[in-house]
Amino acid sequence: MKWLTGLGVLLMVGVGSVGGMWYAWGRDLPSVSDLDVLEFSGQTRVYDRAGALIGALTPSLDSSGGVNRNLVPLAQIAAPLQKAVVTSEDRRFYEHHGVDYIGITRGLLKGLLKNDLEGGSSITQQVVKNTLLADLHAARTPERKFKEAVLAYQLDRNFDKQKILNAYLNIVYWGDGGRSDIIGAGTAAHAYFRKDAADLNLAESVYLATIIPAPNRRYKEFKAYRPLMKDLLSRMVEDGRVTQTQANAAWKTPIYPAGWRIGWNDDGTVRTAALEAPQRLQENINAFDAQGGPKYAYQHYLQAVEKELLPVIGRKALYGGGRIITGMSVPAQEAAERASMNASLPDGATLGIALVSPVNGEVLALVGQKLTGSRASDWNNATQARRQVGSSIKPLLYTLALQRGWKQSDTVLDAPLTDSSYQPQNYDGRWTGRYVTMRYALDHSLNLPTVRIGQEIGVPTFEAKLRELGFTPPAEGGLSLTIGTLEASPLQLAAAYATFANGGLYYAPTLVRKVEDSRGKLLYARPAPTPKRVWDAQTAFLGLDMLRGVVNDLTEFQGGLATRAQIPGWEVGGKTGTTNDIKDLWFAGVTPTVAGAVWVGKQAGGALPSGFYSGEVPTPVWQQAVAGAVQGQPVQPFPEPAGIVYRTVRQVDMAFRTTDADQEPVAHDGSGQGGGFFTRRSRRPAQAPAPDTSQDALPADSAFTADQSEPAPTDPAPTDPDPTQVDPSGTDPGTGAPETVMPDAAPEPDSTLMDTAPPADTVSPPTDTVPADSGIVDALPPEALPPDQSALTDPTQDDPQPPDALPPADLTIPTPSEIPTLN
């Protein structure tokens, strides 16, 4: 009786364990009915905002991180391939009920006794793992195994074996073609043998089946894995799926996988085998994709439509036929795709483009990759990528300062921080030690004044504003957030910039207006776009005016960072952005009817080659896309709210609130103690004191070179640091400098962090007085001077700053030619 009691206890423990697992993991399982999408391929039509047909949605099944949209019905897959795959992967497929416990046991025993681990997952389990549990398929955890087993059982009860096998043959990963993954029988047949899946013979089918467990390795070692084909043919004979005669004939049939030169003996053995052209796999895929002409227009927009609708209406409704009306503008989408095709990018780089309407947040165009004419990667950088935005974040901080009562003509100290463990630098490490206007600092994308603005406004205040604008600030980003450590997608940045063009209203971007089923019944209608006010109308317009300055204040010769964004006849505002090591290049901008952002970088991350700048790479792409989007539209200005007037400051027209227009500029040093104005002081004969302001643009004949955060295009390529290397301690290893810096230098003023420490003699500010029209105030107010000038010495720098790093209050006036160039 004791053994019965023990058995009962074990049974109760087992039941309790299963119950616990079900309580923890079994209540939120996905529905296996989603797999019936195979029946609805391509029946749902998609239209643009004007009612033009733009495409049809084709279901996909995730597999190994890739997506197969060339779904093939089982009737169009050769019977020998079906039989070979079943024998190779799951011999008891037609006998078990989703989970092959006998196969699992056999695999475990083989592993223990012969040290030959054999996979135990059934075909049904692999379908579940690579579709319904795609987000968990790489994790060998009890949760994944439990869910996999439960769903495999449900799948086996709800679908016949042929449909499950069909799904499996459409999700199998058959190797890396180069630019594209080889997924599914249809693609594999073309990649390896330039055939339709229906035309594969037994020898070719057996080859494809034998490489499934490790396709990349087995493809490259044909001769070593040739014996596996004979073994599989023998097992197929044992299972009654082929005759011995058929197996013998298949063994002697020569096959030539793409890229291989093979010499065959009459008995089916290999005489010679050489892999001469592995790139042939991708070439075959490209040829397959090109059949029937261009098929991939609007690819990334249609994919984004799918992602928006799936959680709303489900897969069955999405692929069950009917009509989807979107907010796409075909002229904008086609212009963005042309811009991507024509984009001149650094080697190894790709891009993402997003255009939105400032009127209601509708997405006008999306391009997720550098297009080449063949099918692009399914990864959509426009919506899915999260990359550090560099200096393109600065306009948001400056506008927040304007919202809090600052003026464009207010000045900010351009000098290293004191009393701070965080020690950023301007792009080239130089600083003037003087006060520059906000407009000037943004035009030249200076980091030191920007960080001081953030210091005075407060990082928590800035983070709250970013959340209002749809971003997720990094935890403990600190002051580095003010110069670009925020990660965002082009679509997020475009939506945030749209607030400058519509009077300060933020619309969450949307793609779909409504969905109808095949009978015309309304399945979904987007609620009326509800804006959130993030800026008052005057503040939004003042921020816009500063963006217009970035594009128009300086010529390219003077160091203008975004002059290539100009669109003849249209008002344009925008900002460039660059991150460490030139990993990410950005341009975001607005016109009265279109807001957009372009990102350029490597898909897998990493530095781009030197000599590429955001003003020269993403900015022309943005210009071409947006110029095409507005082509044919009547030109219209940005709407200007009441209470705005203009004043000319240092030969630059700046917008002001009427109440602030004639107030003196305020000097800020980041301490929050700014207030009032200050006057120039020099050894010149005394003159009537006058408040000083800075300018954004220099007159053409000025001998002073614009203070830049990124080098001019003719200068040596800057080294843009990587914001990801910000050290919590306030130092940044970068690529060569210990300090964390967000340089915005020369040709493209928007780097995120500076990665090299400049020599001490280049960091010291000039002790000369700047010409009156230079846009720089040439003396520090007494309250801005630290008690000890050594406080401005960079503690992480190899060579300390000279004791005269800060100019004295009494300055001698040099000639313009004596003033050093500030890059």
Side-chain angles (χ1 to χ4, degrees), residues 43 98 101 142 174 201 212 301-302 360 373 378 385-386 416 436 441 447 499 598 619 680 704 798 803:
Q43 295 181 10
Y101 299 104
W174 252 297
N201 60 37
I212 286 176
Y301 197 103
L302 294 174
N360 56 13
D378 284 295
R386 295 294 183 273
V436 299
N447 290 326
T499 63
V598 175
T619 303
R680 291 180 179 272
F704 188 85
D798 295 332

Side-chain angles (χ1 to χ4, degrees), residues 642-776:
I644 295 292
V645 295
Y646 293 85
R647 295 290 184 267
T648 300
V649 180
R650 300 292 175 183
Q651 303 181 9
V652 175
D653 288 336
M654 299 184 188
F656 294 86
R657 293 183 178 87
T658 303
T659 54
D660 299 337
D662 299 313
Q663 293 183 5
E664 300 295 348
V666 177
H668 301 270
D669 63 4
S671 67
Q673 303 301 315
F677 65 94
F678 55 90
T679 58
R680 291 180 179 272
R681 292 183 294 275
S682 71
R683 294 178 182 172
R684 290 178 173 175
Q687 301 177 9
D692 204 339
T693 54
S694 303
Q695 78 175 52
D696 285 79
L698 300 179
D701 60 352
S702 173
F704 188 85
T705 300
D707 195 10
Q708 309 173 96
S709 65
E710 293 184 274
T714 56
D715 292 343
T719 309
D720 277 358
D722 185 351
T724 61
Q725 299 178 17
V726 176
D727 189 291
S729 68
T731 61
D732 186 331
T735 61
E739 56 271 347
T740 300
V741 217
M742 299 267 292
D744 245 27
E748 323 245 323
D750 27 342
S751 309
T752 313
L753 298 173
M754 165 141 330
D755 52 1
T756 53
D761 59 355
T762 66
V763 180
S764 301
T767 59
D768 325 53
T769 300
V770 182
D773 60 354
S774 68
I776 296 181

Side-chain angles (χ1 to χ4, degrees), residues 601-641:
K602 291 186 176 181
Q603 192 68 66
L608 298 171
S610 62
F612 291 94
Y613 311 112
S614 54
E616 297 176 341
V617 181
T619 303
V621 176
W622 184 94
Q623 193 275 350
Q624 183 179 354
V626 176
V630 301
Q631 186 174 12
Q633 295 181 10
V635 176
Q636 51 187 289
F638 287 108
E640 183 174 313

Side-chain angles (χ1 to χ4, degrees), residues 591-603:
T591 68
T593 60
V594 178
V598 175
W599 165 83
V600 171
K602 291 186 176 181
Q603 192 68 66

Side-chain angles (χ1 to χ4, degrees), residues 477-488:
L479 285 173
S480 68
L481 183 64
T482 64
I483 45 179
T485 52
L486 176 76
E487 294 183 345

Side-chain angles (χ1 to χ4, degrees), residues 525-543:
R526 182 193 65 196
T530 304
K532 174 173 58 177
R533 180 159 292 285
V534 292
W535 316 110
D536 63 83
Q538 290 181 347
T539 295
F541 190 81
L542 296 176

Side-chain angles (χ1 to χ4, degrees), residues 336-645:
E337 293 188 2
R338 283 194 303 272
S340 176
M341 292 277 288
N342 297 335
S344 179
L345 304 185
D347 290 342
T350 186
L351 54 70
I353 305 172
L355 305 181
V356 302
S357 169
V359 175
N360 56 13
E362 283 189 327
V363 180
L364 303 175
L366 291 174
V367 178
Q369 293 282 335
K370 168 70 169 101
L371 300 182
T372 62
S374 59
R375 184 175 189 90
S377 165
D378 284 295
W379 180 260
N380 188 343
N381 286 308
T383 60
Q384 295 174 282
R386 295 294 183 273
R387 307 284 181 158
Q388 291 187 330
V389 300
S391 290
S392 57
I393 199 176
K394 290 178 180 176
L396 306 179
L397 175 66
Y398 282 58
T399 305
L400 178 58
L402 295 171
Q403 185 181 49
R404 296 173 69 85
W406 295 37
K407 305 181 297 297
Q408 295 192 59
S409 59
D410 283 355
T411 56
V412 189
L413 179 61
D414 178 28
L417 302 182
T418 60
D419 302 323
S420 174
S421 60
Y422 177 57
Q423 288 294 311
Q425 294 182 4
N426 291 330
Y427 179 81
D428 62 356
R430 300 184 180 189
W431 44 278
T432 65
R434 302 183 174 99
Y435 282 70
V436 299
T437 60
M438 287 181 64
R439 176 96 166 208
Y440 183 93
L442 186 62
D443 272 3
H444 301 86
S445 205
L446 300 180
N447 290 326
L448 292 174
T450 300
V451 173
R452 288 180 179 275
I453 294 173
Q455 199 173 40
E456 191 158 327
I457 296 295
V459 172
T461 302
F462 187 40
E463 290 175 334
K465 179 60 66 176
L466 291 175
R467 292 188 186 95
E468 289 182 23
L469 289 163
F471 299 112
T472 303
E476 302 179 354
L479 285 173
S480 68
L481 183 64
T482 64
I483 45 179
T485 52
L486 176 76
E487 294 183 345
S489 69
L491 183 58
Q492 287 178 299
L493 199 57
Y497 268 61
T499 63
F500 293 114
N502 65 19
L505 301 176
Y506 174 77
Y507 290 92
T510 59
L511 295 96
V512 178
R513 292 183 174 182
K514 67 176 182 178
V515 182
E516 299 172 347
D517 68 12
S518 57
R519 298 180 180 180
K521 179 183 176 182
L522 185 66
L523 298 178
Y524 166 78
R526 182 193 65 196
T530 304
K532 174 173 58 177
R533 180 159 292 285
V534 292
W535 316 110
D536 63 83
Q538 290 181 347
T539 295
F541 190 81
L542 296 176
L544 170 66
D545 190 54
M546 295 191 75
L547 284 176
R548 292 188 299 191
V550 175
V551 174
N552 300 297
D553 282 351
L554 300 173
T555 66
E556 190 169 350
F557 174 76
Q558 291 172 319
L561 301 166
T563 57
R564 299 187 188 192
Q566 296 171 358
I567 300 173
W570 284 84
E571 293 186 66
V572 175
K575 183 70 181 73
T576 49
T578 308
T579 63
N580 262 5
D581 299 332
I582 320 182
K583 287 186 176 180
D584 305 286
L585 300 175
W586 286 88
F587 184 80
V590 292
T591 68
T593 60
V594 178
V598 175
W599 165 83
V600 171
K602 291 186 176 181
Q603 192 68 66
L608 298 171
S610 62
F612 291 94
Y613 311 112
S614 54
E616 297 176 341
V617 181
T619 303
V621 176
W622 184 94
Q623 193 275 350
Q624 183 179 354
V626 176
V630 301
Q631 186 174 12
Q633 295 181 10
V635 176
Q636 51 187 289
F638 287 108
E640 183 174 313
I644 295 292
V645 295

Side-chain angles (χ1 to χ4, degrees), residues 28 38 76 84 129 164 190 217 281 298 338 364 370 436 500 579 600 654 667 716 778:
D28 58 348
L38 291 168
Q76 296 177 21
K129 179 175 68 174
I164 296 172
H190 280 273
R217 183 175 73 248
L281 290 173
Y298 320 146
R338 283 194 303 272
L364 303 175
K370 168 70 169 101
V436 299
F500 293 114
T579 63
V600 171
M654 299 184 188
D778 64 353

